[in-house]
Amino acid sequence: MRAVPLFASLVLLVTATGCSRLTRMCTAELGVRVSPRDTTVALGSSLRPVVQLTSCGGAQHLTDNIAYLSSDPAVVRVDSASGTLTALRVGSATISVTGATYGSLGVMRLTITAAP
């Protein structure tokens, strides 16, 4: 089998015997979007981050079991079952986002302010 480059994100595989069926294979890297990336929330509020994983230049959506870890659990509590983040104290914390399959996916920074 030999690989024939078609586009930057595609490779066309053709067998030496001239197979009539062609297979498309993606070679793009993993795309990760963590939202919100950096944000400010009021004391006592909660939010649930969204993690989107893609490959093939965004054409293929991927799934993973996501875990969140707070740099300061006294400031931001992470509910490991739901992924919900709760602001417990004024301050700031970095939340590490990790996938069981894809490993480290990034961080988000939360700043907690006094409730209005």
Side-chain angles (χ1 to χ4, degrees), residues 39-108:
T39 193
T40 300
V41 297
L43 181 65
S45 63
S46 296
L47 68 95
R48 187 166 179 201
V50 175
V51 178
Q52 296 174 322
L53 304 173
T54 61
S55 74
C56 298
Q60 183 179 16
H61 296 276
L62 307 171
T63 60
D64 200 349
N65 292 321
I66 306 297
Y68 302 94
L69 178 65
S70 175
S71 65
D72 192 343
V75 174
V76 177
R77 180 181 63 223
V78 176
D79 181 326
S80 60
S82 68
T84 301
L85 310 177
T86 303
L88 301 176
R89 188 173 77 171
V90 172
S92 63
T94 300
I95 309 300
S96 299
V97 182
T98 305
T101 301
Y102 298 107
S104 178
L105 299 172
V107 297
M108 58 186 295

Side-chain angles (χ1 to χ4, degrees), residues 1-17 22-27:
M1 209 179 267
R2 69 184 177 103
V4 179
L6 183 60
F7 297 106
S9 65
L10 298 177
V11 172
L12 193 61
L13 297 178
V14 183
T15 62
T17 61
L22 302 178
T23 304
R24 189 175 95 171
M25 184 174 101
C26 175
T27 60

